Amino acid sequence: MSLYSLLQRRFIKFIKKVMHWKFVCSCLLLGILSHGCAFTSHTLTKNPQTIISSQKILFIKPVPSTILNKPLKSNSDDLVWYDNPSTVQRRPLIAGNWKLNPKTLTEATTLLKLLSSHFLNHYASNSPDTPEVAIFPPYPFLTTAIHILDGTGIKVGAQNIGLQTEGAYTGEVSASMIRSLGCDYVMLGHSERRCLFGESDKTINQKVQLALDEPGLDVILCVGETEEEYENNLLSSVVSLQIKKGLMGVPVEELHRIVIAYEPVWAIGTGKVATPDQAQLAHVSVRESLSEVYGSDDSKKVRIQYGGSVKPDSIERLMTMPDVDGALVGGASLTADSFTRIVDGAAVSPFNYQPPKEFTARECVATKNVLGESPIWSVRDQTLYWISAPEEEVWSWNLNDAPYRRLFGTTIGCVVLKQGEHGSVVIGGERALLATNMSPQTNDFAVGASILCERPEQAEATRPNDGRVDRQGRFVFGMYNNYHRAGVSVGENNAGIYRLNSNLEVEQILDYKYRVSNCICFPKEGNIMYFCDTPTRKVYAFDYNDTGPLTNRRLVYTMPADLPGGPDGAQVDADGLLWIALSGAGRVVRVNPNTGAVDMVVHLPVRSPTSVTFGGKDLDELFITTRGPDGGGLYRLKMPFGIVGLPEPEFIVNQNSNTNFILQQQRDLASMYQRDGN
Ligand code: PGA
């Protein structure tokens, strides 16, 4: 036997002893406490069957936390028993408990539409690697939720059911009713039902039975101790009773339809989240209780969620605990962003973590752009170009002289290089794609930039946003839903990705719509395109073909749940690694697109970097655009370790050539751009 397993065995034995003594002490304390509260504890023994069959056990009302004006004791000295992860595979479940929120159907619809567009196309609903997701809106919103979330993989559940199946029971709702709407879950025994509505374990057990009588309707059974019980070491015994009474009569064959949500009452809605160790210890105790009734093998298959003030910044650490199989989320499920981040956090594997190397970029041009974006370096011009979208300007800087800008009288999404004389560029304008010249000798001021072609989606509330020239010399750009945060088309996926070919024809190359295009960039081989719909916080790679649409989408990066904001512009370096500006999180990360690992982080003193590119005569400097209110300047970092970028391709206009000729020319150009990557 290895030293490790010997230690593990001793450890488990020790924990069992601790648990036993905790239980005995708990029972004694329960007895003492019961004098002043609702427990009838004198018959409490270690045999759960005796307790359950002989006594009516009521729930202790939680003591308001203001009365217990002392910090919760820490369990940091307690040892935590870790299950053997290799033998148990439980798919995490993240559930959103909306409680009595929001106030109106209109608000509920907005939240559902945002959730839908966050999830649509982004979660494989049945993959064991991704968490299962369910939301629990109030009854009147269930049908709308089921309708709007159709196709997203998000399941819908009800927050309660009544005790009858049909008849003269005014105001009640039955299990068959919610199931017939399409609900997959019902949540029972929530502490608010127990405390505020006086639901006993017996009532909860009756509801569990009624739910299980409906094929396809699964149950989340909530359990958890109050702060006072916790302080008095009653966690194990309280939770054990709730489980054993709540599941009384549930046969082992039905156990797979039960999820336990462990929610310490002192953590619900209070902002006091249990530490991961506290949660793990409690979940072990929950599993022990299940095991006493159903045996160890079956109890290991039951998912145990943690609930109580779970937020995007606490989920990842909670999920590192082997017995935490997801979360029941209240307050943070009421915004699409925080709920989605929690789901993402539950999907991230905490193992194999290597800390990245960290750097800080410095401001080199104090432009105070409202929304700086789209930096590109021209090898031909030895000049960096970038835009400020709402200020309708394109900036130009040769790294020596003072930078200058030109105003174009249109919101600008991006600027790319155009084949031709010094300063030739193409601009993604609000109403059209424009060709102009940014050199100081520019002479189109009087007539303005020339229109290359109309923008697509004329009937939509969208505009061109992020864009880059592919390695074959074509201009690929994505659109942006102007109202994606609020307004008429909030939550609507109405933006697409397009390619402007050399013959100036535009073709759509993504077979679904989304909200905010970003990250568009290509490695030197030109056979992959990266893309991100920013609100989803996920970056994908696609196979990029000479003709036809993007294919074979795969996820390469999900923004960590504890970071605010979303992925914005990106660029690929000569080694094929992806540099992504994380707007809102004040950093740029380098991601290995094959593994998703982040090995470098460039910090900025401002919150919102918007995009990145490589420039300078050796392409060994990283330039980062930023936005207001705290940012707006251009930032720069000399790259360490010989990291260099790729020369930026130019858009080729060749209206008269036939397609084969253009393709051949583009392939030649592509091979010219392939560098050995020193
Ligand atoms: P909370 O609620 O996340 O707002 O604490 C959790 C719950 O009551 O299920």
Side-chain angles (χ1 to χ4, degrees), residues 381-411:
D381 304 345
Q382 289 293 299
T383 297
L384 186 80
Y385 300 106
W386 71 99
I387 61 145
S388 182
E391 290 162 299
E392 308 174 342
E393 55 195 26
V394 178
W395 283 78
S396 167
W397 186 36
N398 65 9
L399 310 190
N400 294 316
D401 307 323
Y404 63 88
R405 63 187 161 155
R406 274 189 67 194
L407 299 174
F408 285 89
T410 174
T411 302

Side-chain angles (χ1 to χ4, degrees), residues 97 99 190 192 263 267-270 307-311 328-332:
N97 176 11
K99 306 188 182 184
H190 191 278
E192 284 150 18
E263 298 201 299
I268 296 178
T270 59
S309 296
V310 175
K311 299 279 179 309
L328 180 54
V329 185

Side-chain angles (χ1 to χ4, degrees), residues 1-12 80-86 322 351:
M1 188 187 301
S2 70
L3 182 65
Y4 174 73
S5 37
L6 187 75
L7 285 173
Q8 200 179 31
R9 277 199 178 181
R10 293 217 164 148
F11 186 43
I12 292 168
V80 176
W81 174 52
Y82 290 92
D83 206 342
N84 178 357
S86 63
F351 303 105

Side-chain angles (χ1 to χ4, degrees), residues 385-459:
Y385 300 106
W386 71 99
I387 61 145
S388 182
E391 290 162 299
E392 308 174 342
E393 55 195 26
V394 178
W395 283 78
S396 167
W397 186 36
N398 65 9
L399 310 190
N400 294 316
D401 307 323
Y404 63 88
R405 63 187 161 155
R406 274 189 67 194
L407 299 174
F408 285 89
T410 174
T411 302
I412 298 169
C414 58
V415 58
V416 295
L417 305 176
K418 179 168 169 289
Q419 197 179 47
E421 59 199 21
H422 184 106
S424 295
V425 294
V426 175
I427 295 166
E430 188 168 15
R431 307 245 50 94
L433 305 179
L434 308 167
T436 188
N437 193 300
M438 281 297 295
S439 70
Q441 293 80 37
T442 306
N443 58 14
D444 65 0
F445 283 120
V447 284
S450 65
I451 294 179
L452 271 182
C453 72
E454 296 286 304
R455 62 138 212 195
E457 299 175 2
Q458 290 286 342

